[in-house]
Amino acid sequence: MIGSVFSPYYAWSGRKDPLNHCAFNVALYGERARHWAMTERGREDVRCEASHLSIGPSSMSWNGDALTIVIDEIAAPFPKRLRGVVRVTPRMFGALSFMLDAGGRHLWRPIAPAARVEVEMEHPPLRWIGEGYFDANWGDAPLEDDFTHWDWSRAKTADGAVVFYDVLHRDGGRLDLALAIDSSGRIHPIGAPPRVKLKQTLWRMTRWVRSEAQARLLRTLEDAPFYARSLVSVRLSGEPMLMVHESLSLDRFATNWVKALLPFKMPRAPWDVGPGADQAGGS
């Protein structure tokens, strides 16, 4: 994240220097490992080039075929080393970007709607190969200024992916994107199935998913006061599909009590200590 949109430090600074508020967000979910890292670092620890980005000891590099992500972070709120490599090889590229608001202050692009992902973690020790997704959001204004809530979800299909993006604007309007992306990367609007309400999270977050029949919540991966990430079984085009789903409440995020909690999971360097800390920017 360049100018971390969820950073309380960035907000408190007046959001004047995005390069001084950058972070790698790493989240691992599994039976043997569940870790989160999002240490914020200043501009002295950021190096940005056309095909390479490093934030502290972690980095991303593009070689024309694959994105290699080198992770070297400390988990929060309970410190533990997260170190490994993730390789994302796109199966196609999404050619379009989409405005999420009428003023064009917020944009989103599904860069690699379907990709092969290889994960090789040293700490904790685990390996995984499967299907993944890569996108980007960027904008010129705080999210909470223009939105109250959004739901996003993505499912892999036989020849590509489907993505739904349901956005509630602060002025009362809404944007509903329903997109099919084929194997060549072409993006086609499709008819959106009904919105189905999922069970609230422990933080009482409201979440809606698109499905032709009753959706089944398989697992809540992330349960935060203003954000939820879930694994959901839905029915699309008459077929059962597995969706990764996210809900974001900007009304919740804008409150002072939520911002006061964020530093526990989003610390600002220097802070990481222990093995490998001598490599960490700002340490």
Side-chain angles (χ1 to χ4, degrees):
M1 294 188 177
I2 306 297
S4 180
V5 292
F6 303 123
S7 164
Y9 318 100
Y10 191 29
W12 295 333
S13 74
R15 294 190 168 97
K16 297 177 181 178
D17 187 0
L19 279 177
N20 201 40
H21 302 275
C22 300
F24 252 74
N25 182 206
V26 182
L28 293 179
Y29 311 110
E31 299 301 325
R32 296 184 296 108
R34 184 181 179 91
H35 305 298
W36 166 282
M38 196 170 170
T39 299
E40 183 174 308
R41 301 180 187 277
R43 60 167 45 250
E44 67 277 5
D45 295 321
V46 179
R47 295 186 299 279
C48 186
E49 302 168 359
S51 58
H52 179 86
L53 169 68
S54 61
I55 301 174
S58 297
S59 66
M60 305 173 73
S61 299
W62 173 251
N63 67 2
D65 297 311
L67 182 71
T68 299
I69 304 168
V70 177
I71 298 168
D72 191 354
E73 298 289 331
I74 296 291
F78 306 108
K80 188 171 184 178
R81 178 63 60 179
L82 298 179
R83 181 181 287 142
V85 177
V86 178
R87 292 180 181 86
V88 181
T89 305
R91 298 193 186 281
M92 82 278 284
F93 292 96
L96 299 177
S97 297
F98 296 85
M99 291 192 305
L100 300 180
D101 66 308
R105 301 205 298 175
H106 306 271
L107 294 100
W108 163 74
R109 180 181 173 184
I111 296 172
R116 172 185 168 88
V117 179
E118 302 168 74
V119 179
E120 296 182 12
M121 295 296 296
E122 178 183 351
H123 299 292
L126 60 86
R127 291 188 175 187
W128 180 83
I129 297 176
E131 292 294 318
Y133 168 93
F134 185 81
D135 70 357
N137 288 73
W138 66 98
D140 298 322
L143 291 175
E144 64 269 28
D145 284 2
D146 294 313
F147 308 110
T148 62
H149 186 100
W150 76 39
D151 290 285
W152 171 95
S153 56
R154 176 264 183 189
K156 180 183 179 297
T157 61
D159 66 342
V162 291
V163 181
F164 300 108
Y165 216 143
D166 298 321
V167 180
L168 297 181
H169 298 136
R170 191 154 296 284
D171 63 6
R174 65 177 300 128
L175 171 71
D176 298 327
L177 290 175
L179 307 172
I181 307 169
D182 64 24
S183 58
S184 67
R186 290 176 297 184
I187 300 175
H188 312 275
I190 58 175
R195 295 173 72 230
V196 177
K197 193 172 186 178
L198 297 172
K199 181 182 178 181
Q200 285 186 332
T201 68
L202 293 177
W203 280 102
R204 302 188 65 80
M205 272 283 297
T206 300
R207 44 188 172 174
W208 296 81
V209 69
R210 296 283 183 175
S211 180
E212 295 169 351
Q214 183 59 46
R216 185 161 59 96
L217 177 63
L218 302 178
R219 187 178 180 188
T220 299
L221 300 171
E222 199 69 51
D223 187 354
F226 68 97
Y227 174 81
R229 181 181 293 145
S230 314
L231 196 60
V232 185
S233 175
V234 300
R235 184 168 290 274
L236 301 173
S237 301
E239 299 292 333
M241 292 189 186
L242 189 64
M243 290 200 107
V244 174
H245 176 272
E246 297 180 345
S247 291
L248 175 65
S249 171
L250 280 312
D251 281 346
R252 286 272 192 95
F253 174 70
T255 61
N256 288 331
W257 70 270
V258 168
K259 285 188 170 67
L261 293 174
L262 292 178
F264 291 98
K265 292 195 74 174
M266 302 178 188
R268 183 168 171 88
W271 84 287
D272 47 0
V273 296
D278 57 316
Q279 303 176 28
S283 296

